[in-house]
Amino acid sequence: MIANNSFDTMQSSIAKMKLAAYPSDIEIDIPVNLCGTFEFNKASALIEYGYNLCDSIEELQENK
């Protein structure tokens, strides 16, 4: 648990630095409680979540 939290903290710090150096056009935030580091069995659900989120973003852009 401690190692996993340390890894998540380190990964978050690296992501923030990368985004500061290379800003993105769109940032998709995935809730940290959606899955754990080693929960590979949830890959399909995460992929579906991403597709649904992107569809929602496209709808928002179309309705502007």
Side-chain angles (χ1 to χ4, degrees):
M1 183 73 167
I2 293 174
N4 192 28
N5 289 343
S6 297
F7 177 77
D8 288 343
T9 302
M10 180 182 64
Q11 189 174 19
S12 177
S13 297
I14 292 170
K16 287 176 186 175
M17 288 188 315
K18 290 286 187 181
L19 284 172
Y22 307 101
S24 61
D25 294 331
I26 296 174
E27 183 178 337
I28 298 175
D29 291 322
I30 298 174
V32 294
N33 63 352
L34 204 56
C35 75
T37 304
F38 298 108
E39 293 180 317
F40 302 111
N41 59 316
K42 294 185 177 181
S44 297
L46 285 171
I47 293 168
E48 184 176 346
Y49 178 87
Y51 276 121
N52 291 338
L53 195 57
C54 288
D55 287 343
S56 299
I57 291 170
E58 286 178 358
E59 288 176 13
L60 287 172
Q61 289 178 339
E62 289 173 1
N63 292 331
K64 280 187 175 182

Coordinates of all heavy atoms in Angstrom, one line a residue:
M1 N 0.8 -1.2 0.0 CA 0.0 0.0 0.0 C 0.9 1.3 0.0 O 0.6 2.2 -0.8 CB -0.9 0.0 1.2 CG -1.9 1.1 1.3 SD -3.1 0.9 0.1 CE -4.3 2.1 0.6
I2 N 1.9 1.3 0.8 CA 2.8 2.5 0.9 C 3.5 2.6 -0.4 O 3.7 3.7 -0.9 CB 3.7 2.4 2.1 CG1 2.9 2.5 3.4 CG2 4.8 3.5 2.1 CD1 3.7 2.2 4.7
A3 N 4.1 1.5 -0.9 CA 4.8 1.6 -2.2 C 3.9 2.0 -3.3 O 4.3 2.8 -4.2 CB 5.4 0.2 -2.5
N4 N 2.7 1.6 -3.3 CA 1.7 2.0 -4.4 C 1.4 3.5 -4.3 O 1.4 4.2 -5.3 CB 0.4 1.1 -4.2 CG -0.5 1.3 -5.4 OD1 0.0 1.6 -6.5 ND2 -1.7 1.1 -5.2
N5 N 1.2 4.0 -3.1 CA 0.9 5.4 -2.9 C 2.2 6.2 -3.3 O 2.0 7.3 -3.9 CB 0.5 5.7 -1.4 CG -0.8 5.2 -1.1 OD1 -1.6 4.9 -2.0 ND2 -1.1 5.1 0.2
S6 N 3.3 5.8 -3.0 CA 4.6 6.5 -3.4 C 4.7 6.5 -4.9 O 5.1 7.5 -5.4 CB 5.8 5.8 -2.8 OG 5.7 5.8 -1.4
F7 N 4.4 5.4 -5.5 CA 4.5 5.3 -7.0 C 3.5 6.3 -7.6 O 3.8 7.0 -8.5 CB 4.2 3.9 -7.5 CG 4.2 3.8 -9.0 CD1 5.3 3.8 -9.7 CD2 2.9 3.7 -9.6 CE1 5.3 3.6 -11.1 CE2 2.9 3.6 -11.0 CZ 4.1 3.6 -11.7
D8 N 2.2 6.3 -7.1 CA 1.2 7.3 -7.6 C 1.6 8.7 -7.4 O 1.4 9.5 -8.3 CB -0.1 7.0 -6.9 CG -0.8 5.7 -7.3 OD1 -0.4 5.2 -8.3 OD2 -1.7 5.3 -6.6
T9 N 2.2 9.0 -6.3 CA 2.7 10.4 -6.0 C 3.8 10.8 -7.0 O 3.8 11.9 -7.6 CB 3.2 10.5 -4.6 OG1 2.1 10.2 -3.7 CG2 3.7 11.9 -4.3
M10 N 4.7 9.9 -7.2 CA 5.8 10.1 -8.1 C 5.3 10.3 -9.5 O 5.7 11.2 -10.3 CB 6.9 9.0 -8.1 CG 8.0 9.2 -9.0 SD 9.2 7.8 -9.0 CE 8.2 6.5 -9.6
Q11 N 4.4 9.5 -10.0 CA 3.8 9.5 -11.3 C 3.1 10.8 -11.5 O 3.1 11.5 -12.5 CB 3.0 8.3 -11.5 CG 2.5 8.2 -12.9 CD 1.7 6.9 -13.2 OE1 1.2 6.2 -12.2 NE2 1.6 6.4 -14.4
S12 N 2.3 11.2 -10.5 CA 1.6 12.5 -10.6 C 2.5 13.7 -10.7 O 2.3 14.6 -11.5 CB 0.7 12.6 -9.3 OG 0.1 13.9 -9.3
S13 N 3.6 13.7 -9.9 CA 4.6 14.8 -10.0 C 5.2 14.9 -11.4 O 5.4 15.9 -12.0 CB 5.7 14.6 -9.0 OG 5.2 14.6 -7.7
I14 N 5.6 13.7 -12.0 CA 6.2 13.7 -13.3 C 5.2 14.2 -14.3 O 5.5 15.0 -15.2 CB 6.7 12.3 -13.6 CG1 7.9 11.9 -12.7 CG2 7.0 12.2 -15.1 CD1 8.3 10.4 -12.8
A15 N 3.9 13.8 -14.2 CA 2.9 14.2 -15.2 C 2.7 15.7 -15.1 O 2.6 16.4 -16.1 CB 1.6 13.5 -14.9
K16 N 2.7 16.3 -13.9 CA 2.5 17.7 -13.7 C 3.7 18.5 -14.4 O 3.5 19.5 -15.0 CB 2.4 18.1 -12.3 CG 1.1 17.7 -11.7 CD 1.0 18.0 -10.2 CE -0.3 17.5 -9.6 NZ -0.3 17.7 -8.1
M17 N 4.9 18.0 -14.2 CA 6.1 18.6 -14.8 C 6.0 18.6 -16.3 O 6.3 19.5 -17.0 CB 7.4 18.0 -14.3 CG 7.7 18.3 -12.9 SD 9.3 17.8 -12.3 CE 9.5 16.1 -12.9
K18 N 5.6 17.4 -16.9 CA 5.5 17.3 -18.3 C 4.5 18.2 -18.9 O 4.7 18.8 -19.9 CB 5.2 15.8 -18.7 CG 6.3 14.8 -18.4 CD 7.4 15.0 -19.5 CE 8.4 13.9 -19.3 NZ 9.5 14.0 -20.3
L19 N 3.3 18.3 -18.2 CA 2.2 19.1 -18.7 C 2.6 20.6 -18.6 O 2.2 21.4 -19.5 CB 0.9 18.9 -17.9 CG 0.2 17.6 -18.3 CD1 -0.9 17.3 -17.3 CD2 -0.3 17.7 -19.7
A20 N 3.4 21.0 -17.6 CA 3.9 22.3 -17.5 C 4.8 22.7 -18.7 O 4.8 23.8 -19.2 CB 4.6 22.6 -16.2
A21 N 5.7 21.7 -19.0 CA 6.6 21.9 -20.1 C 6.0 21.8 -21.5 O 6.4 22.6 -22.4 CB 7.8 20.9 -20.0
Y22 N 5.0 20.9 -21.6 CA 4.4 20.7 -22.9 C 2.9 20.7 -22.7 O 2.2 19.7 -22.6 CB 4.8 19.4 -23.5 CG 6.3 19.2 -23.6 CD1 7.0 18.4 -22.7 CD2 7.0 19.8 -24.7 CE1 8.4 18.3 -22.8 CE2 8.4 19.6 -24.8 CZ 9.1 18.9 -23.8 OH 10.4 18.7 -23.9
P23 N 2.2 21.9 -22.7 CA 0.8 22.0 -22.4 C 0.0 21.3 -23.5 O 0.3 21.3 -24.7 CB 0.5 23.5 -22.4 CG 1.8 24.2 -22.5 CD 2.8 23.2 -22.9
S24 N -1.0 20.6 -23.1 CA -1.9 19.9 -24.0 C -3.1 20.7 -24.4 O -3.5 21.7 -23.7 CB -2.4 18.6 -23.3 OG -3.1 18.9 -22.2
D25 N -3.7 20.3 -25.5 CA -4.9 21.0 -25.9 C -6.1 20.6 -25.1 O -7.0 21.4 -24.7 CB -5.2 20.7 -27.4 CG -4.2 21.2 -28.3 OD1 -3.6 22.3 -28.0 OD2 -4.0 20.7 -29.4
I26 N -6.2 19.3 -24.8 CA -7.2 18.7 -23.9 C -6.6 17.8 -22.9 O -5.7 17.0 -23.3 CB -8.2 17.9 -24.8 CG1 -9.0 18.8 -25.8 CG2 -9.2 17.2 -23.9 CD1 -9.9 18.1 -26.7
E27 N -7.0 17.9 -21.7 CA -6.5 17.0 -20.6 C -7.7 16.2 -20.1 O -8.7 16.7 -19.7 CB -5.9 17.9 -19.5 CG -5.3 17.1 -18.4 CD -4.7 17.9 -17.3 OE1 -4.3 19.1 -17.6 OE2 -4.6 17.4 -16.2
I28 N -7.5 14.9 -20.1 CA -8.5 14.0 -19.6 C -8.1 13.5 -18.3 O -7.0 12.8 -18.2 CB -8.7 12.8 -20.6 CG1 -9.2 13.4 -21.9 CG2 -9.7 11.8 -20.0 CD1 -9.4 12.4 -23.0
D29 N -8.8 13.8 -17.2 CA -8.5 13.3 -15.9 C -9.3 12.1 -15.6 O -10.5 12.1 -15.7 CB -8.8 14.4 -14.8 CG -7.9 15.6 -14.9 OD1 -6.7 15.4 -15.2 OD2 -8.3 16.7 -14.7
I30 N -8.6 11.1 -15.2 CA -9.2 9.8 -14.8 C -9.2 9.7 -13.3 O -8.1 9.8 -12.7 CB -8.5 8.6 -15.5 CG1 -8.6 8.7 -17.0 CG2 -9.1 7.3 -15.0 CD1 -7.8 7.7 -17.7
P31 N -10.3 9.5 -12.6 CA -10.3 9.4 -11.2 C -9.4 8.3 -10.7 O -9.3 7.2 -11.2 CB -11.8 9.1 -10.8 CG -12.6 9.5 -12.0 CD -11.7 9.3 -13.2
V32 N -8.6 8.6 -9.7 CA -7.6 7.7 -9.1 C -8.3 6.5 -8.5 O -7.7 5.4 -8.4 CB -6.7 8.3 -8.1 CG1 -5.8 9.3 -8.8 CG2 -7.4 8.9 -7.0
N33 N -9.5 6.6 -8.1 CA -10.2 5.5 -7.5 C -10.9 4.6 -8.5 O -11.6 3.6 -8.1 CB -11.2 6.0 -6.4 CG -12.3 6.8 -7.0 OD1 -12.3 7.2 -8.2 ND2 -13.3 7.1 -6.2
L34 N -10.7 4.8 -9.8 CA -11.4 4.0 -10.8 C -10.7 2.6 -10.9 O -11.4 1.6 -11.2 CB -11.3 4.7 -12.1 CG -12.3 4.4 -13.2 CD1 -13.7 4.5 -12.7 CD2 -12.1 5.2 -14.4
C35 N -9.4 2.6 -10.6 CA -8.7 1.3 -10.6 C -7.4 1.4 -9.9 O -6.9 2.5 -9.7 CB -8.5 0.7 -12.0 SG -7.2 1.5 -12.9
G36 N -6.8 0.3 -9.5 CA -5.5 0.3 -8.8 C -4.4 0.1 -9.8 O -4.7 -0.3 -11.0
T37 N -3.2 0.1 -9.4 CA -2.0 0.0 -10.2 C -2.0 -1.4 -10.9 O -1.6 -1.5 -12.1 CB -0.7 0.2 -9.4 OG1 -0.8 1.5 -8.8 CG2 0.5 0.1 -10.3
F38 N -2.3 -2.4 -10.2 CA -2.2 -3.8 -10.7 C -3.5 -4.4 -11.1 O -3.6 -5.6 -11.2 CB -1.4 -4.7 -9.7 CG -0.1 -4.2 -9.4 CD1 0.3 -3.6 -8.2 CD2 0.9 -4.3 -10.4 CE1 1.6 -3.1 -8.0 CE2 2.2 -3.8 -10.2 CZ 2.5 -3.2 -9.0
E39 N -4.6 -3.6 -11.2 CA -5.9 -4.2 -11.6 C -6.1 -4.2 -13.1 O -6.9 -3.5 -13.7 CB -7.0 -3.3 -10.9 CG -7.0 -3.5 -9.4 CD -8.0 -2.7 -8.7 OE1 -8.3 -1.5 -9.1 OE2 -8.7 -3.2 -7.8
F40 N -5.3 -5.0 -13.7 CA -5.3 -5.1 -15.2 C -6.6 -5.7 -15.7 O -7.0 -5.5 -16.9 CB -4.1 -6.0 -15.7 CG -2.8 -5.5 -15.3 CD1 -2.0 -6.2 -14.4 CD2 -2.3 -4.3 -15.8 CE1 -0.8 -5.7 -14.0 CE2 -1.0 -3.8 -15.5 CZ -0.3 -4.5 -14.5
N41 N -7.3 -6.4 -14.9 CA -8.6 -6.9 -15.2 C -9.7 -5.9 -15.5 O -10.7 -6.1 -16.1 CB -9.1 -7.9 -14.2 CG -9.3 -7.3 -12.8 OD1 -8.4 -6.5 -12.4 ND2 -10.3 -7.6 -12.1
K42 N -9.4 -4.6 -15.1 CA -10.3 -3.5 -15.3 C -10.0 -2.7 -16.6 O -10.6 -1.7 -16.8 CB -10.3 -2.6 -14.1 CG -10.9 -3.3 -12.8 CD -11.0 -2.3 -11.7 CE -11.6 -2.9 -10.5 NZ -11.7 -2.0 -9.4
A43 N -9.1 -3.2 -17.4 CA -8.7 -2.5 -18.6 C -9.9 -2.2 -19.5 O -10.0 -1.0 -20.0 CB -7.6 -3.3 -19.4
S44 N -10.7 -3.1 -19.8 CA -11.9 -2.9 -20.7 C -12.8 -1.8 -20.1 O -13.2 -0.9 -20.9 CB -12.7 -4.2 -20.8 OG -11.9 -5.2 -21.4
A45 N -13.0 -1.8 -18.8 CA -13.9 -0.7 -18.2 C -13.2 0.7 -18.3 O -13.8 1.7 -18.6 CB -14.1 -1.0 -16.8
L46 N -11.9 0.7 -18.2 CA -11.1 2.0 -18.3 C -11.2 2.5 -19.7 O -11.3 3.7 -20.0 CB -9.7 1.8 -17.8 CG -9.5 1.7 -16.3 CD1 -8.1 1.3 -16.0 CD2 -9.8 3.0 -15.7
I47 N -11.0 1.6 -20.7 CA -11.0 2.0 -22.1 C -12.4 2.5 -22.4 O -12.5 3.6 -23.1 CB -10.6 0.8 -23.0 CG1 -9.1 0.5 -22.8 CG2 -10.9 1.1 -24.5 CD1 -8.7 -0.9 -23.4
E48 N -13.4 1.8 -22.0 CA -14.8 2.3 -22.2 C -15.0 3.7 -21.6 O -15.7 4.5 -22.2 CB -15.8 1.3 -21.7 CG -17.2 1.6 -22.0 CD -18.2 0.6 -21.5 OE1 -17.8 -0.6 -21.2 OE2 -19.4 0.9 -21.5
Y49 N -14.5 3.9 -20.4 CA -14.6 5.1 -19.7 C -14.0 6.2 -20.5 O -14.6 7.3 -20.7 CB -14.0 5.1 -18.3 CG -14.0 6.4 -17.5 CD1 -15.1 6.7 -16.7 CD2 -12.9 7.3 -17.6 CE1 -15.1 7.9 -16.0 CE2 -12.9 8.4 -16.9 CZ -14.0 8.8 -16.1 OH -14.0 9.9 -15.4
G50 N -12.8 6.0 -21.1 CA -12.1 7.0 -21.9 C -12.9 7.3 -23.2 O -13.0 8.5 -23.5
Y51 N -13.4 6.3 -23.8 CA -14.2 6.5 -25.0 C -15.5 7.4 -24.7 O -15.8 8.3 -25.5 CB -14.6 5.2 -25.7 CG -13.6 4.6 -26.6 CD1 -13.1 3.3 -26.4 CD2 -13.1 5.3 -27.7 CE1 -12.1 2.8 -27.2 CE2 -12.1 4.8 -28.5 CZ -11.6 3.5 -28.3 OH -10.7 3.0 -29.1
N52 N -16.2 7.0 -23.6 CA -17.4 7.8 -23.3 C -17.0 9.2 -22.9 O -17.8 10.1 -23.3 CB -18.1 7.1 -22.1 CG -18.7 5.8 -22.4 OD1 -19.0 5.5 -23.6 ND2 -18.9 4.9 -21.5
L53 N -15.9 9.4 -22.2 CA -15.5 10.8 -21.9 C -15.2 11.6 -23.1 O -15.6 12.7 -23.3 CB -14.3 10.7 -21.0 CG -13.9 12.0 -20.2 CD1 -15.1 12.5 -19.4 CD2 -12.7 11.7 -19.3
C54 N -14.5 11.0 -24.1 CA -14.1 11.7 -25.3 C -15.4 12.0 -26.1 O -15.5 13.0 -26.8 CB -13.2 10.8 -26.2 SG -11.5 10.8 -25.5
D55 N -16.4 11.1 -26.2 CA -17.6 11.3 -26.8 C -18.3 12.5 -26.2 O -18.9 13.4 -26.9 CB -18.6 10.1 -26.8 CG -18.1 9.0 -27.7 OD1 -17.3 9.3 -28.6 OD2 -18.5 7.9 -27.5
S56 N -18.3 12.6 -24.9 CA -18.9 13.8 -24.2 C -18.2 15.1 -24.5 O -18.8 16.1 -24.7 CB -18.8 13.6 -22.7 OG -19.5 12.4 -22.3
I57 N -16.9 15.0 -24.7 CA -16.1 16.2 -25.0 C -16.5 16.7 -26.4 O -16.7 17.8 -26.7 CB -14.6 16.0 -24.9 CG1 -14.2 15.8 -23.4 CG2 -13.8 17.1 -25.5 CD1 -12.8 15.3 -23.2
E58 N -16.6 15.7 -27.4 CA -17.0 16.0 -28.7 C -18.3 16.7 -28.8 O -18.6 17.6 -29.5 CB -16.9 14.8 -29.6 CG -15.5 14.3 -29.9 CD -15.5 13.0 -30.8 OE1 -16.6 12.5 -31.1 OE2 -14.4 12.6 -31.1
E59 N -19.3 16.1 -28.0 CA -20.6 16.7 -28.0 C -20.6 18.1 -27.4 O -21.3 19.0 -28.0 CB -21.5 15.8 -27.1 CG -21.9 14.5 -27.7 CD -22.7 13.6 -26.8 OE1 -23.2 14.1 -25.8 OE2 -22.9 12.5 -27.1
L60 N -19.8 18.4 -26.4 CA -19.7 19.8 -25.9 C -19.1 20.7 -26.9 O -19.6 21.8 -27.1 CB -18.8 19.8 -24.6 CG -19.5 19.1 -23.4 CD1 -18.4 19.1 -22.3 CD2 -20.6 20.0 -22.9
Q61 N -18.1 20.3 -27.7 CA -17.5 21.1 -28.7 C -18.5 21.4 -29.8 O -18.5 22.5 -30.4 CB -16.2 20.5 -29.2 CG -15.1 20.5 -28.2 CD -13.8 19.9 -28.7 OE1 -13.9 19.0 -29.6 NE2 -12.7 20.2 -28.0
E62 N -19.3 20.4 -30.2 CA -20.3 20.6 -31.3 C -21.4 21.5 -30.9 O -21.9 22.2 -31.7 CB -20.9 19.2 -31.7 CG -19.9 18.3 -32.4 CD -20.4 16.9 -32.6 OE1 -21.6 16.7 -32.2 OE2 -19.7 16.1 -33.2
N63 N -21.7 21.6 -29.6 CA -22.8 22.4 -29.1 C -22.4 23.9 -28.8 O -23.2 24.6 -28.3 CB -23.5 21.8 -27.9 CG -24.2 20.5 -28.3 OD1 -24.7 20.4 -29.4 ND2 -24.3 19.6 -27.3
K64 N -21.1 24.2 -29.0 CA -20.7 25.6 -28.8 C -21.3 26.6 -29.7 O -21.5 26.4 -30.8 CB -19.1 25.7 -28.8 CG -18.5 25.1 -27.6 CD -17.0 25.4 -27.6 CE -16.4 25.0 -26.3 NZ -15.0 25.2 -26.3

